Amino acid sequence: MQESKPTDSVKVGIDKINFYTPNHYLDLIDLAEARGVDSNKYLVGIGQSKMSVAALDQDIVAMAANAAEAMLTDGERQEIGLLVVATESGIDQSKAAALFVQDLLKLTGNLRAIEIKEACYGATAGIQLACDYVRSHPGRKALVIASDIARYGLDTPGEVTQGAGSVAMLVTRDPAILVIEPESIYESRSTGDFWRPNYSTVAFARGKFSEEVYVGMFEELWEKAQELGLANPENLQALLFHIPFSKMGRKGLRTLGNGKISEADYARLTERFEHSIVYGKEVGNIYTGSIYLALLSLLENDNSLKPGDRIGLFSYGSGSVAELYFGTLQPGYRQRLDADGHRTLLDNRERLSMSEYEAMFSAELATDGSQQDLGRSDPAAGAPHYLASVKDHERQYR
Ligand code: HMG
């Protein structure tokens, strides 16, 4: 049984949200052809159409800063007292990625800067920590950035579910987008469904098993939410899922079919689910940011939601930690969105040939301390932050 968090009258949640993805992608029809697979397996069976590919200069620090840069005012930079970078693609075993990001975003020194890791659940841990922080620190804000590069390796079953990108969220009191409820349902359980040892640049997965754990934990949390009266489907206007690939979220949602909830509720959640996967289908798995990319995709591609609508979020991180939590859309949330800007970001990416993708995937930073200067992968798109070089085992950003 979960304990209830103390409810209090202070409203906290997501006040701003933005995302960044590198400016190269692989079309999955090209991948299917190269791997000798029927393209419908990727387009329909997996449910993805493209995946973003990161060049060396867009590591998780550069992407994180690029996601947050455009959305922060000077005043907000002064008010941020907690900076969380959630990632499972960390660049250092000791120094938090958040410290590089703090520097690039010119935040003050008067803040806690930390990195959080728990596979794709990390950003949700960051959001919950941030909500608690702003509840207990009047006048301060928290910046949570999910930043990851999903890598399984060339010609592996997971290859089609790779991707790269970051989602930045400003968590405040009286937020403009989503008030997050203090009560939620969560569970941690050690499983061997997906992992990446320190010596490996690619993840290992027991693919089918990982799908079973994901679906099983969703079903358990949904049941608990029913028992606690937290997830009355009639009062739920949308249900978001962690989206490693769109079919996975669909499998979670389908567990509510077959009479578990009314046909009308299931139809409404399914229609909204389609809007939540628009961006992810073109970006791929961005691990811990995926569910927040789904949130952004829903808000920017759905015209029927309105302030006051309640949304459920099922966050899953392999290994495994899952949480089901809820939030309510706020008046004026649409003014905070940038659907045109995000569509342009996606449409302006350069399509890679298979050989260009394989070369980009296989490129590595020097590990012997020598100096390596990197070219800019997107001089035209002009991402403000990038990794310029490595020297003496240190990354130098601009
Ligand atoms: P696979 O071996 O290619 O799977 O691996 P498959 O052969 O079963 O095919 C996949 C689907 O395509 C199946 O549909 C086929 O029927 C269908 P399903 O039964 O699943 O509904 N299919 C076709 N459909 C239409 N036309 C066709 C056709 N052919 C086949 N011609 C797998 C797929 C996802 C397992 C693999 O890509 C993988 O291992 N991915 C990585 C692991 C993963 O993403 N797991 C998801 C759950 S765990 C999670 O979400 C956490 C994670 O994000 C990590 C973290 O937390 O940090 C991964």
Side-chain angles (χ1 to χ4, degrees):
M1 188 73 169
Q2 309 279 321
E3 86 279 18
S4 301
K5 286 186 185 175
T7 48
D8 74 38
S9 55
V10 180
K11 290 182 176 172
V12 301
I14 299 171
D15 185 62
K16 288 186 171 179
I17 182 168
N18 191 36
F19 98 96
Y20 174 80
T21 192
N23 75 326
H24 293 97
Y25 74 92
L26 183 67
D27 193 296
L28 297 185
I29 295 179
D30 294 343
L31 182 66
E33 197 175 302
R35 302 295 178 237
V37 169
D38 179 353
S39 57
N40 274 336
K41 172 171 176 182
Y42 292 170
L43 302 179
V44 182
I46 297 289
Q48 295 293 114
S49 60
K50 296 173 182 170
M51 65 188 193
S52 285
V53 183
L56 287 179
D57 67 325
Q58 284 301 320
D59 67 4
I60 57 114
V61 166
M63 290 195 302
N66 286 326
E69 182 63 65
M71 85 179 188
L72 296 177
T73 64
D74 289 346
E76 285 161 348
R77 284 172 217 253
Q78 300 294 317
E79 291 166 328
I80 291 170
L82 173 68
L83 170 63
V84 176
V85 174
T87 185
E88 54 184 294
S89 327
I91 56 153
D92 195 292
Q93 295 282 19
S94 172
K95 183 173 172 179
L99 287 157
F100 293 100
V101 173
Q102 172 202 10
D103 194 34
L104 292 173
L105 294 177
K106 297 191 168 43
L107 304 182
T108 73
N110 181 19
L111 89 173
R112 296 175 180 144
I114 57 167
E115 182 172 318
I116 286 186
K117 177 185 67 174
E118 189 345 75
C120 299
Y121 173 74
T124 296
I127 288 284
Q128 294 294 352
L129 185 68
C131 286
D132 288 345
Y133 175 79
V134 298
R135 267 187 207 104
S136 57
H137 292 77
R140 305 308 301 269
K141 298 181 172 174
L143 179 61
V144 178
I145 313 178
S147 194
D148 267 315
I149 301 174
R151 289 167 57 88
Y152 292 88
L154 301 176
D155 210 358
T156 58
E159 183 179 31
V160 63
T161 66
Q162 298 176 144
S166 300
V167 180
M169 290 163 285
L170 191 64
V171 175
T172 67
R173 290 182 168 217
D174 298 320
I177 298 178
L178 191 76
V179 166
I180 294 175
E181 296 173 15
E183 235 183 319
S184 69
I185 320 281
Y186 43 83
E187 185 184 347
S188 298
R189 182 200 303 171
S190 179
T191 56
D193 66 329
F194 169 105
W195 66 101
R196 183 166 72 81
N198 285 344
Y199 54 77
S200 178
T201 61
V202 294
F204 299 94
R206 295 190 173 96
K208 291 293 165 196
F209 177 57
S210 72
E211 296 188 282
E212 280 168 31
V213 181
Y214 175 118
V215 169
M217 287 184 90
F218 171 68
E219 286 182 301
E220 280 181 35
L221 296 194
W222 179 263
E223 286 306 319
K224 281 186 192 163
Q226 297 305 304
E227 287 164 21
L228 294 173
L230 288 178
N232 178 355
E234 284 170 31
N235 298 333
L236 214 49
Q237 297 307 314
L239 184 55
L240 296 172
F241 288 84
H242 163 54
I243 303 287
F245 51 95
S246 73
K247 176 63 120 4
M248 190 68 248
R250 200 178 291 285
K251 286 184 183 183
L253 181 61
R254 279 181 184 161
T255 64
L256 300 183
N258 300 327
K260 242 191 187 173
I261 62 176
S262 79
E263 272 181 36
D265 290 337
Y266 186 66
R268 182 182 64 257
L269 295 183
T270 302
E271 190 186 327
R272 298 251 163 80
F273 173 80
E274 301 302 336
H275 297 137
S276 78
I277 58 176
V278 174
Y279 291 163
K281 282 172 88 160
E282 297 184 46
V283 172
N285 194 356
I286 57 169
Y287 286 155
T288 193
S290 296
I291 187 171
Y292 298 102
L293 187 59
L295 171 64
L296 192 60
S297 179
L298 173 73
L299 299 183
E300 293 190 339
N301 292 289
D302 185 292
N303 293 319
S304 60
L305 284 166
K306 53 186 187 326
D309 283 348
R310 191 165 178 260
I311 293 177
L313 296 96
F314 171 68
S315 177
Y316 175 80
S318 283
S320 301
V321 182
E323 181 155 351
L324 180 59
Y325 72 99
F326 303 90
T328 303
L329 286 176
Q330 296 303 293
Y333 76 89
R334 285 189 188 277
Q335 278 78 62
R336 282 285 205 249
L337 305 174
D338 181 18
D340 291 345
H342 294 139
R343 180 37 60 200
T344 304
L345 178 70
L346 291 172
D347 290 350
N348 284 357
R349 290 175 300 170
E350 273 175 46
R351 181 174 176 163
L352 296 173
S353 67
M354 273 306 289
S355 57
E356 287 168 332
Y357 150 67
E358 293 196 344
M360 209 175 259
F361 182 91
S362 305
E364 286 176 3
L365 289 177
T367 54
D368 60 359
S370 61
Q371 176 157 350
Q372 180 182 6
D373 297 317
L374 303 171
R376 293 206 62 179
S377 61
D378 73 336
H385 303 290
Y386 60 98
L387 176 64
S389 60
V390 283
K391 188 184 170 197
D392 298 332
H393 301 283
E394 265 188 313
R395 296 185 188 221
Q396 313 289 339
Y397 293 93
R398 284 195 204 132

